[in-house]
Structure formats: structure tokens, C-alpha cells
Amino acid sequence: MSAELMHRNIERAQKRIDETKESVSHGAMRQRYHFMAQAGWINDPNGLIFYKGKYHYFYQYNPYYGFWDYMHWGHAVSEDLVHWTYLPLALAPSEIYDDHMRGGCFSGSAIEFDGKLFLVFTGVTNEGKGFDQTQNIAYSEDGIHFTKYEGNPVLRAPEGVPTPFFRDPKVWKHGDYIYMVVGASCEGKGQARLYRTKDMFHWDFVNVLAESRGEWGYMWECPDFFKLGDKYVLLFSPMGGGERTSVYLTGDFDYETGKFDWHGSGAIDWGFEYYAPQSFLAPDGRRILVAWANCWDWMPIWKDWGPTYKEGWCGHFNIPREARLMADGTLQFIPVKELNALRETPRNYGEMTVHDGEMTEIEAGDGVAYEWNMAVDLKKTTAEQIKLCLRCGEGRATVCTFDLNKAEMSVDKNNADGWSKGRSRSTLFLKGKDSLDIHVFADQSSVEVFADQYGISHSMNVYAPNSQDRNYIEAVGGQVEVTGMETYGLKKVM
């Protein structure tokens, strides 16, 4: 009976998608190459995996309208991380542990085990005693149609962890065990708790993998744990972490004790719109991250989430990024090479000098969806600031500033579109460096700016109309010496 109920709920949701997807597809703010759902609301990426020759994206999904509510799992597949085919919904609320209008099937992950594709997800319900979050299992023979395990939940919040703060399981295999890290809150501080199993259904607690001392917020959402080079990496999105939307910790790990000894940390992205990243292994061994292009701290659900809800949708994913370990222990997050397939109308500017007070227009595709890659000679540059003025028009612009005197990078979208607000900032550490690399990906409703060997990125949503299609580089307080610059238009694939 439970399987029949989930099947009916999936059919009902699919009917709603089919009724609305055509009109939603014509929305003026729809992204051209960033992944989106066909209609409705999406947030966290879930269950990212390369399985049976294809990349799988599962995602937090409300198929009924462009606001957060009643979570399902959407599903899409790709052979190249660029072109996506939508599949039937994987999960819908249907059980006592996940069937609630302000709950449902929350975030989780996927793993291949015993010839099947398993999904591990948080079920959220409320039976009158507050929200209860538990960890649950679903599995599939074909990777498309899923059955929830009759013995769910397989894991409940332990003593000391409030039931509304125990969620987002991420699983991986090591040796004879499947391991799971779960985000939690304990005594008002964020935690990542480690469990393991041999059969996917019976889980044993190992240890508190890592926890906050107060500096990383009160709840760790969407934790992820993996080995990169000779180090281990823990990712999470801290609630109550201020401007920290997604962070990483690097260090050493002992599977015998289940304890993570971290001694390095950093921001995955400094912008306002990068949250809940999840990683997976590509078949060639690359560790790839995908995140939700928004953040609860900046736009709480009781406020306006932007103009796209009027078009019947809200939410997209940031471009996929490959994580690499640098010699100094910090991480790079590099746009995946598959994005090169989007390029068209290339333009090579070569070397150029931008003089003090001068704004030089840069042609990049149609000025809306484009890629802009450049390098600056810091030894010959005398400017105090380098400014990239993006998506300009009608008196508006998103302004990215590289302040060479203050060693700071910022992205200001206070005058970007008549709706967005805020200015993100990060340190720009240039000591001993001869050049500065800058890489921009712009789309219909977003701007992602990378710099300093991809050690810094700022992701911003910008709801600018097509009339804002001019882009400039400006020198302030001296001249800027560009040693190489190329731009591309980027094809529409969504």
C-alpha cells in the first residue's frame, strides 16, 4: 500500500509538471545553461553519482509552484554534465516519517550497492511534537523507479541531538563498510556525525567526525567527506555562520577511531548564492562539486525569493566544479572541462592596456550568457583597482572589484537589477605573485566570478533583463596591463 501511495503521489506531481513546463520554459529569467528543473522550486543537489554510464542529478524539489514546500526528489541524467534529460520523480512524500506539507523527502545521497542504486534521504514529519528528522533508505533495480525500505527509518536522532536538527546523510564506501556522515546540532553547535553499515539497513555510530566550537554556526547542513590527494576534506554549510555559506576543512582522518583532525579551512565560495554543495567521483577520478545557487541566510523562506517565482519556477544549480588540492593545503574549485562544449563566437583580445579612468567595452557573446577569461600582469599594472562591470545597461550593473591596494575582491549587486542587494567580499592574497587570473561565467540570471588560480569564487544571482548586455573593464588609479583575454558566447542547452 505504501508503494502504491508513493506511485500515486509521483503521478500527481508529474501531471502538474506536464501541465506547467511549457509555459514555464518561456520565462524571461530562465537560465540558458545552468541546470534547472522543468517547473517549480528546487534547492539542494542530492544523490549525485555516475551510475551505469550516466551522470545522475537528484534534487530537492517542489513541483507544484516556485516556493519551498512539500519536498520531493527530482531526477535527471546526462552523458556530459551539460545536456540533461529529465526522468520521472524518484521520491515523493508517502509515509508517516516523510509525509508532511512543511517536510517531505529532504536531502541525501546515492550509492551503488549489491547491484542496486540506493538513495539515503532524510524524512521529515510532524506528529504534533515538533519536526522529526530521520534517515531512510530507498532502492532501485533500474536507477529510475525507487522503492522505500519497509523498515524505515534506519536511523533516528540520538540523545542530545534535537530531532529537527539531524539530516542530510552523505554515504561512501571504504573497505568492507558503507559510511555515512550526517549533519547535526548538539548543545547549540554544529556537528558531523559518522555511522557505518555492511548492509545499508543497520547502522552503527562510529564517532563525532568533527564539531564546531562556536565559530562554525549552530547546525551543519549537507556535510560531505572525501579524500583528496593525501588529505581528507569535510564540506558543510553552517547555519548561523554569517557570511560563510559553504566551507571546507582539510586534515587527516583515522578510520579506526572515526575522528577527523582538521588543520586547514576555507570558503568554497564567497558569494551569496552558493549552498549545500555535494561531491561525487567522475569515472576519470575527478572530484566534482555541484551546489544550489542560493542560500537560506540571505533569503529566508518567509521573504521574497526573487522574481522568478512569478514565472512558475525558482532555483538552479551552480556550474559543476572540480576540487583540487593545492601544495599549500588549500583547495581549488575549477569549472569542469565539459563546459567548453558550450562555447561559440570566440573572440581573442590578446594583450591590451586599460588606462586610468578608462572603461573599455568587452564583447562576449550576446553580453548575457558568456564566458570571459583574462590574465593581468601585476608587475606592470599600476592601477589601485581593476573593475569588471558586468551585465550593464539602463543605469544598472553588477560590479566586480579587485582592489590591489587593500588585497580584496568584492562583487556588488546593489545596483544590479532593481531587486538584488548586497556586496560580497574576500581576501585577494597577491604577495609574491606576478599575475592575476580572472574567469567569469554569466548566464541569464547569474554571475560566477573566479580568481587567483580558482582559489576564490563569488557566485551571485542577478535578475537583469536582456537589455543589460554591455560589459566593461575599468582601471582606477593607474593602468591595467592585460596579458591575455578571450571571450565566448555560451549556447542555450536548458
Side-chain angles (χ1 to χ4, degrees):
M1 185 64 183
S2 295
E4 292 179 9
L5 180 57
M6 185 171 84
H7 180 69
R8 288 201 302 269
N9 289 346
I10 286 177
E11 282 191 335
R12 183 178 64 177
Q14 289 290 164
K15 182 180 179 182
R16 175 63 175 174
I17 295 167
D18 291 340
E19 290 171 346
T20 58
K21 65 183 181 182
E22 175 62 24
S23 62
V24 171
S25 71
H26 298 293
M29 292 291 110
R30 294 283 286 178
Q31 295 279 60
R32 302 187 190 180
Y33 61 89
H34 284 75
F35 180 82
M36 306 171 292
Q38 292 168 291
W41 162 283
I42 73 170
N43 53 285
D44 304 355
N46 297 156
L48 307 186
I49 191 171
F50 187 81
Y51 176 72
K52 291 187 176 180
K54 293 184 178 180
Y55 296 99
H56 289 249
Y57 277 2
F58 299 87
Y59 45 94
Q60 287 290 278
Y61 190 32
N62 174 21
Y64 293 102
Y65 37 83
F67 289 97
W68 179 89
D69 205 354
Y70 204 41
M71 287 290 98
H72 299 57
W73 273 37
H75 189 192
V77 293
S78 173
E79 294 181 355
D80 60 4
L81 288 172
V82 173
H83 302 87
W84 291 91
T85 299
Y86 297 102
L87 295 180
L89 300 186
L91 298 175
S94 62
E95 313 302 317
I96 191 170
Y97 55 81
D98 68 9
D99 197 358
H100 190 273
M101 285 304 295
R102 305 304 289 177
C105 303
F106 274 24
S107 293
S109 53
I111 192 168
E112 184 175 2
F113 178 77
D114 196 26
K116 302 180 182 69
L117 182 60
F118 278 77
L119 304 182
V120 188
F121 68 98
T122 298
V124 182
T125 192
N126 190 333
E127 297 180 78
K129 298 180 181 180
F131 284 98
D132 187 18
Q133 298 181 351
T134 58
Q135 314 320 314
N136 303 276
I137 300 291
Y139 50 86
S140 172
E141 299 280 356
D142 60 7
I144 300 175
H145 304 93
F146 290 85
T147 300
K148 292 176 183 174
Y149 173 49
E150 290 184 357
N152 283 336
V154 298
L155 197 60
R156 295 183 179 274
E159 185 177 352
V161 173
T163 59
F165 296 104
F166 185 61
R167 57 181 176 267
D168 309 335
K170 177 64 192 296
V171 291
W172 72 95
K173 189 176 190 301
H174 179 80
D176 296 331
Y177 289 95
I178 303 295
Y179 287 83
M180 175 200 298
V181 62
V182 184
S185 178
C186 186
E187 298 180 351
K189 296 178 181 179
Q191 271 190 354
R193 301 179 66 86
L194 185 66
Y195 300 83
R196 71 180 185 181
T197 183
K198 286 189 174 181
D199 64 5
M200 292 299 298
F201 303 116
H202 303 88
W203 294 86
D204 296 316
F205 177 65
V206 179
N207 206 343
V208 175
L209 182 76
E211 59 188 334
S212 173
R213 299 166 300 184
E215 77 278 43
W216 297 111
Y218 64 86
M219 169 67 192
W220 287 1
E221 290 201 298
C222 302
D224 196 347
F225 192 66
F226 53 86
K227 190 174 184 181
L228 196 62
D230 62 351
K231 295 295 180 183
Y232 284 84
V233 179
L234 175 65
L235 313 178
F236 57 90
S237 291
M239 296 183 71
E243 292 187 0
R244 302 181 177 108
T245 61
S246 296
V247 301
Y248 68 83
L249 309 179
T250 58
D252 301 306
F253 177 65
D254 179 6
Y255 271 102
E256 292 298 316
T257 64
K259 202 68 174 181
F260 177 49
D261 177 26
W262 64 273
H263 37 263
S265 64
I268 302 173
D269 193 287
W270 293 86
F272 296 162
E273 277 83 42
Y274 192 93
Y275 199 79
Q278 185 171 118
S279 80
F280 67 97
L281 275 177
D284 59 6
R286 288 175 296 161
R287 176 63 62 172
I288 296 176
L289 273 66
V290 181
W292 172 43
N294 228 314
C295 179
W296 303 111
D297 284 354
W298 302 113
M299 296 183 188
I301 58 176
W302 54 86
K303 291 186 179 180
D304 188 352
W305 280 88
T308 68
Y309 78 90
K310 299 175 184 177
E311 300 177 355
W313 70 282
C314 186
H316 65 275
F317 289 170
N318 300 95
I319 57 174
R321 307 175 186 185
E322 179 188 353
R324 292 184 185 176
L325 181 68
M326 299 281 280
D328 63 359
T330 61
L331 300 187
Q332 295 174 297
F333 299 100
I334 305 169
V336 295
K337 59 187 179 182
E338 285 85 350
L339 294 172
N340 293 348
L342 294 168
R343 290 173 172 173
E344 60 183 5
T345 59
R347 183 180 179 107
N348 191 339
Y349 280 83
E351 297 182 359
M352 63 185 296
T353 300
V354 183
H355 298 283
D356 185 15
E358 179 179 273
M359 290 185 67
T360 300
E361 184 168 4
I362 304 299
E363 293 185 14
D366 67 351
V368 175
Y370 61 85
E371 180 182 355
W372 176 357
N373 204 350
M374 61 182 290
V376 175
D377 187 327
L378 293 175
K379 287 193 170 182
K380 294 181 180 179
T381 292
T382 59
E384 298 174 0
Q385 295 181 344
I386 305 166
K387 290 190 175 185
L388 304 186
C389 301
L390 311 175
R391 297 296 306 277
C392 305
E394 302 178 355
R396 301 192 184 280
T398 299
V399 181
C400 179
T401 301
F402 300 88
D403 193 315
L404 304 182
N405 282 356
K406 294 182 178 179
E408 180 182 272
M409 174 182 169
S410 65
V411 179
D412 189 335
K413 63 175 189 174
N414 283 300
N415 190 38
D417 53 20
W419 182 87
S420 299
K421 298 294 181 183
R423 175 175 172 263
S424 61
R425 298 181 301 159
S426 66
T427 298
L428 186 64
F429 191 75
L430 300 176
K431 183 179 180 181
K433 296 177 181 177
D434 295 334
S435 65
L436 172 64
D437 54 284
I438 303 169
H439 200 169
V440 179
F441 282 84
D443 204 345
Q444 186 71 58
S445 302
S446 65
V447 171
E448 294 169 76
V449 185
F450 300 82
D452 194 15
Q453 298 181 299
Y454 301 97
I456 301 173
S457 58
H458 291 238
S459 295
M460 296 294 209
N461 290 345
V462 175
Y463 303 106
N466 287 347
S467 55
Q468 290 182 223
D469 60 355
R470 313 294 286 272
N471 298 276
Y472 302 89
I473 181 172
E474 180 181 2
V476 179
Q479 67 185 31
V480 175
E481 293 292 340
V482 177
T483 57
M485 182 190 300
E486 55 190 14
T487 67
Y488 303 89
L490 296 177
K491 299 173 186 175
K492 179 179 174 62
V493 293
M494 292 303 300

